[in-house]
Amino acid sequence: MSIDPHAEIKILRKQLQSLMDEARLNEKKWRRLDQFEKQLIGTRTLPELIQVILDDYKTACETDAITLVLCDPEHEIRRILERSQAGGAEMPGLVLLEKLDADDARRYPYLGPFDAELPRAIFDPWPADCRSMILLPLMRQGEPIGSLNMASSRAERFTADSSTDFIERLANIFSICLENSLNHERLKLVGLTDPLTGIFNRRYLETRCQEEAENVRRHHTPLSCMFLDIDRFKRINDSHGHGTGDRVLCHVTGLIKAQLRSNDVLSRYGGEEFVVLLPHTGLRHACEIAERIRRTVDAQPCRIDADNELKVTISIGVAQVTDQQEGDDRTLAQRLLAAADEALYLAKESGRNKVVSDDNRPVSVTAKRSLIKLLGFNSA
């Protein structure tokens, strides 16, 4: 049976056209992938990197829902996001887990019908009317670090026989960019952290205080500050040595941190002085937190060796700034720190191991300082 040459040519042309269409589509995908890769590599901060994945890639992939799931056992990513942006770690589509479940940690992708029963099917917010999905593991140095999950209202968008070359390549690039971003943030943190206590230093505090003062204006919320000083710290160093003094500093740091919230900012201001910023906190509540810290330090001596403990006390000054006060952000920040420092001075002058604020200034010390000023003597 002979085949019509014209019909055969028509079939071949159709097959050729199909191949050319597929080649053009693949070329378009590669160009889009190349552009997106450059965009990922060009991001400068961790929030920017995450935002590119959640926003731009959702558009580029023509998908209805996307979630980035990351394992964050030490809350490192959360702290970086909280430090770098006003909204903290609350980014729609970002899910931070302390530990990956066994199913989350699987090293192969899932493509197919939308299955809400799969433990790895983590979406935020939960997608409506989706019919297919892909759950793509993110790997770094052979270990799972999370997953990139996408869902579509089209059943044919993600199918078991779909090629995953493009998206798996993207996942590998994102994993590398994520590690680079974290390393960059760690390097930055070295210059903003006190090496002895592991908390922020004065440089970071002054920048953060100004940022929080800006938030006071923008969101009309109060901001309080505590200045804390270990009582008679010089005597500790002179009597027991600087090694014991270092242990006392670390001991007090741990007690203070235990009484603070995750969004509070603790820093070592210098020597034996600490400063705590309390966002969204009024003076009364700040004084309650300060008193809790004072009592905790007073009740828990510092163990200096196997047989000896050293009783330590702390004095605290508390102040507040509101959006009603005049001045730019820098001025408000400086005024807040100065007011808390002034309250700390009054706490020291009135006997130490006390909490002092504008609401409970010691009358005797205030009167004494007023008299000194009136007589023209140097209060120092």
Side-chain angles (χ1 to χ4, degrees):
M1 179 179 179
S2 61
I3 300 177
D4 183 358
H6 295 288
E8 188 175 6
I9 291 173
K10 189 175 181 179
I11 292 172
L12 290 173
R13 281 178 176 173
K14 188 174 180 179
Q15 291 175 342
L16 180 61
Q17 184 64 46
S18 177
L19 290 173
M20 291 177 64
D21 289 343
E22 185 176 354
R24 279 193 291 267
L25 180 61
N26 285 335
E27 183 183 3
K28 184 178 178 181
K29 287 181 179 179
W30 275 112
R31 281 201 305 267
R32 187 168 58 186
L33 177 64
D34 181 66
Q35 181 180 0
F36 196 75
E37 286 177 4
K38 291 175 181 176
Q39 190 177 0
L40 278 179
I41 295 170
T43 55
R44 294 177 296 178
T45 65
L46 180 62
E48 184 182 356
L49 174 67
I50 294 173
Q51 209 64 61
V52 165
I53 280 286
L54 294 178
D55 291 345
D56 296 4
Y57 195 66
K58 178 182 178 181
T59 302
C61 275
E62 300 176 348
T63 186
D64 296 294
I66 183 168
T67 289
L68 176 62
V69 180
L70 294 176
C71 185
D72 190 25
E74 304 297 328
H75 305 286
E76 180 184 27
I77 296 174
R78 180 175 295 277
R79 285 195 297 269
I80 290 172
L81 295 177
E82 287 172 348
R83 287 196 300 266
S84 59
Q85 56 185 21
E90 303 305 320
M91 300 176 68
L94 174 65
V95 177
L96 299 177
L97 302 177
E98 291 189 7
K99 182 180 179 182
L100 294 177
D101 292 335
D103 199 63
D104 294 330
R106 290 186 182 178
R107 290 168 166 75
Y108 55 86
Y110 167 86
L111 292 90
F114 188 86
D115 185 356
E117 299 300 320
L118 281 180
R120 282 195 294 165
I122 302 173
F123 288 94
D124 177 35
W126 191 256
D129 302 322
C130 284
R131 302 175 61 193
S132 65
M133 68 181 183
I134 178 172
L135 310 177
L136 184 70
L138 298 174
M139 309 292 295
R140 193 67 194 126
Q141 297 178 354
E143 293 298 322
I145 60 171
S147 66
L148 184 63
N149 301 342
M150 290 182 283
S152 174
S153 58
R154 295 185 291 128
E156 71 279 5
R157 179 67 184 87
F158 301 114
T159 58
D161 59 351
S162 299
S163 172
T164 61
D165 293 346
F166 293 108
I167 197 167
E168 287 193 81
R169 175 183 168 89
L170 173 77
N172 290 333
I173 291 174
F174 172 78
S175 297
I176 295 171
C177 290
L178 176 63
E179 184 176 24
N180 289 341
S181 293
L182 289 174
N183 287 335
H184 181 66
E185 294 291 344
R186 290 169 187 139
L187 285 174
K188 284 198 305 184
L189 195 58
V190 168
L192 301 173
T193 305
D194 173 56
L196 174 64
T197 60
I199 60 176
F200 293 118
N201 59 20
R202 181 171 177 172
R203 176 185 171 195
Y204 175 83
L205 169 75
E206 291 174 345
T207 301
R208 181 64 181 271
C209 190
Q210 191 168 329
E211 292 173 356
E212 292 297 341
E214 180 184 0
N215 289 334
V216 169
R217 293 187 181 284
R218 181 181 301 158
H219 303 293
H220 309 289
T221 55
L223 170 66
S224 291
C225 173
M226 295 189 297
F227 237 106
L228 310 93
D229 186 272
I230 300 174
D231 296 327
R232 297 185 173 88
F233 186 71
K234 184 177 183 301
R235 184 182 299 176
I236 294 173
N237 277 334
D238 291 344
S239 301
H240 302 279
H242 289 277
T244 296
D246 287 349
R247 281 193 288 275
V248 168
L249 285 169
C250 294
H251 169 74
V252 171
T253 298
L255 296 179
I256 295 172
K257 286 176 66 175
Q259 300 301 322
L260 299 179
R261 304 162 300 185
S262 61
N263 63 325
D264 296 332
V265 180
L266 170 61
S267 64
R268 185 181 177 191
Y269 197 72
E272 69 275 21
E273 288 185 325
F274 301 86
V275 173
V276 175
L277 295 179
L278 301 162
H280 310 284
T281 306
L283 188 63
R284 181 177 177 181
H285 187 202
C287 287
E288 292 173 355
I289 297 172
E291 180 59 29
R292 201 160 59 232
I293 291 172
R294 187 202 65 78
R295 288 198 306 266
T296 300
V297 173
D298 188 42
Q300 298 189 35
C302 175
R303 181 167 293 280
I304 57 178
D305 56 44
D307 302 314
N308 297 292
E309 292 181 336
L310 185 62
K311 182 173 177 59
V312 181
T313 62
I314 194 167
S315 299
I316 307 175
V318 187
Q320 176 191 345
V321 67
T322 69
D323 62 337
Q324 303 300 316
Q325 295 175 260
E326 296 181 356
D328 58 20
D329 301 330
R330 182 186 179 92
T331 302
L332 287 182
Q334 291 174 341
R335 189 179 299 156
L336 176 64
L337 292 172
D341 191 25
E342 168 75 6
L344 172 62
Y345 177 86
L346 295 176
K348 290 284 193 182
E349 285 288 290
S350 60
R352 298 182 177 86
N353 195 19
K354 291 185 178 180
V355 174
V356 171
S357 71
D358 282 337
D359 285 353
N360 68 339
R361 284 172 170 258
V363 177
S364 60
V365 176
T366 304
K368 174 185 172 184
R369 297 191 72 196
S370 298
L371 180 60
I372 289 173
K373 183 177 181 181
L374 179 65
L375 296 175
F377 295 122
N378 188 340
S379 61

